[in-house]
Amino acid sequence: MSKTIASAFCETNQARGLPQENIFQQNFYRLPADFSSAFIRSTTSEDPVQIYAVASAQGDDNRAAMALQEVMKIVSDTSRDFAGRPEFRFDAYVNQLITNTNSAVCNYSLRSPGAPIKVSLTAVVLEKDTVRIVSVGNTKAVLMRKGQVIPLTENQTAANRYVQMGAIAPEAERLHPESDVLTQYIGRFQEDGPVSPDTSKYLRLIDGDEICLLGTGIDKGLTITERDYILTGPMTPAQKAADLIAHTRQNQVRGGLTVLHIRIESALGQQSYVPVSAYQAPAAETVTEM
């Protein structure tokens, strides 16, 4: 099993109309009673299965925040259920997680007047010495290893699609007018097509690895160079999370300020260095349960 130190910093938005965000850190998430101030938590764990997530909701402030409460409860219940089983089945976990959260957000949009809520979600599953990622939308995860920052997700947005087409340069993506136009999200109705999460990233952990989950505001306020300078520094997880938030706010970004930073203190089956690109995701399971 991996021994981890994790620190979360979810700042309350300083302006209306910006994405509402929440975090899941093992067994807890931000509740309405926590909305009036920044949500800051640090934990250590040696559990054989550890699950962390960051979620962001586009929509009316109150409706988006309440829809996220339903999403995070499903994340919590599903994670506790699957982590408690003798064998953790990642594909079955993702299938149930995405199906149930999508139904919940669609139902919330139908019963609550206003524009449909669109939710981005990035979750990290640490199982012994292995990490798997599931990501939908434009929250993201990066890995810090041996002084390098390696993206583990790509934004599912119109702006990123333009990058893939060669229409805009990669460095232009974060401030493009369509950087928040989601091509995949939780809350898709049947006529919009299925939710297609990215689950392609799989790798084994080594001592000293760090994984950072980022809310949508961090991209707006920091260049990749500025972000990576903080992430590869010598500070603790809590200091890095706070520093990312502080520097983003200094650059006049007033919402989407969420960081969940995880440091792998020790990993089961410690190995010599292997580049991330050498790893391939295992074949998908046959999912027979919901």
Side-chain angles (χ1 to χ4, degrees), residues 226-247:
E226 291 169 330
R227 182 199 72 187
D228 292 358
Y229 178 79
I230 296 171
L231 288 176
T232 56
M235 298 175 290
T236 66
Q239 290 170 329
K240 289 184 181 183
D243 218 21
L244 284 169
I245 298 293
H247 280 77

Side-chain angles (χ1 to χ4, degrees), residues 191-203:
E191 58 268 26
D192 300 321
V195 182
S196 298
D198 180 4
T199 59
S200 61
K201 296 299 187 297
Y202 163 88
L203 63 140

Side-chain angles (χ1 to χ4, degrees), residues 264-279:
I264 312 303
E265 291 290 287
S266 62
L268 177 69
Q270 173 68 13
Q271 60 199 26
S272 59
Y273 174 69
V274 179
V276 173
S277 59
Y279 292 109

Side-chain angles (χ1 to χ4, degrees), residues 55-210:
S56 180
Q58 297 180 2
D60 171 78
D61 287 6
N62 291 334
R63 293 173 64 247
M66 291 302 101
L68 275 187
Q69 287 295 298
E70 298 195 19
V71 168
M72 301 316 285
K73 184 178 188 307
I74 292 169
V75 172
S76 179
D77 291 345
T78 307
S79 299
R80 183 170 56 250
D81 177 18
F82 276 79
R85 299 182 184 186
E87 178 185 3
F88 186 89
R89 300 181 62 203
F90 179 76
D91 288 353
Y93 169 76
V94 170
N95 187 42
Q96 183 165 316
L97 178 69
I98 297 301
T99 298
N100 290 355
T101 54
N102 191 65
S103 294
V105 175
C106 287
N107 290 335
Y108 186 90
S109 291
L110 287 172
R111 69 176 185 266
S112 174
I117 304 297
K118 298 180 179 181
V119 175
S120 297
L121 174 69
T122 300
V124 169
V125 178
L126 305 180
E127 184 185 5
K128 299 178 182 177
D129 65 338
T130 299
V131 62
R132 296 289 302 265
I133 308 288
V134 52
S135 186
V136 181
N138 63 344
T139 48
K140 62 177 51 180
V142 295
L143 169 74
M144 287 73 74
R145 174 177 287 181
K146 306 291 185 180
Q148 293 183 300
V149 180
I150 303 161
L152 296 177
T153 59
E154 285 192 7
N155 292 332
Q156 293 175 319
T157 62
N160 183 262
R161 182 177 289 171
Y162 299 149
V163 172
Q164 302 305 316
M165 295 168 54
I168 64 172
E171 57 269 22
E173 179 185 350
R174 72 184 187 93
L175 297 179
H176 191 276
E178 296 185 53
S179 61
D180 291 325
V181 178
L182 302 176
T183 56
Q184 284 291 328
Y185 53 88
I186 293 169
R188 288 170 72 90
F189 291 92
Q190 186 173 1
E191 58 268 26
D192 300 321
V195 182
S196 298
D198 180 4
T199 59
S200 61
K201 296 299 187 297
Y202 163 88
L203 63 140
R204 294 193 181 279
L205 298 165
I206 61 175
D207 289 1
D209 276 353
E210 299 177 32

Side-chain angles (χ1 to χ4, degrees), residues 1-4 45-47 50 128-129 205 264 266-268:
M1 67 190 71
S2 296
K3 179 180 179 181
T4 62
S45 179
E46 295 185 40
D47 292 346
Q50 302 174 37
K128 299 178 182 177
D129 65 338
L205 298 165
I264 312 303
S266 62
L268 177 69

